[in-house]
Amino acid sequence: MNVGLLTTILTLPYAPVRAVTAIAEILLRQAEEELYSPAGVRRQLEGLDEAVARGELSESERQAAEDEILARLTNR
């Protein structure tokens, strides 16, 4: 019997765990892309401006949130 086939058969019960891990890694990469990509940062900053325009955030709250976004970029 081929060793690779034997290994596959013996580790088959762990396939769901490997699948969940792979999905989690994909989701993590997508979240990091949203947090750190220039387009994602621009959307976040635009969202802050829109929240101020709707009256959901004060200018000082917007500035604090903007500082957090920019700090996240520099501390990466």
Side-chain angles (χ1 to χ4, degrees):
M1 181 177 257
N2 187 345
V3 175
L5 179 60
L6 181 61
T7 302
T8 301
I9 291 170
L10 292 176
T11 61
L12 193 58
Y14 297 108
V17 173
R18 288 192 304 269
V20 170
T21 301
I23 292 170
E25 289 172 355
I26 291 169
L27 292 174
L28 177 62
R29 280 195 304 271
Q30 288 179 340
E32 286 176 340
E33 175 69 22
E34 178 65 25
L35 284 174
Y36 300 116
S37 75
V41 170
R42 185 176 60 247
R43 281 191 299 273
Q44 292 171 32
L45 295 174
E46 289 171 353
L48 293 177
D49 291 338
E50 292 169 3
V52 169
R54 290 189 304 264
E56 296 172 355
L57 285 178
S58 69
E59 187 59 36
S60 62
E61 291 170 324
R62 185 197 67 76
Q63 186 61 48
E66 182 178 313
D67 290 344
E68 286 180 27
I69 291 168
L70 298 176
R72 185 176 57 232
L73 291 175
T74 57
N75 294 328
R76 185 174 183 206

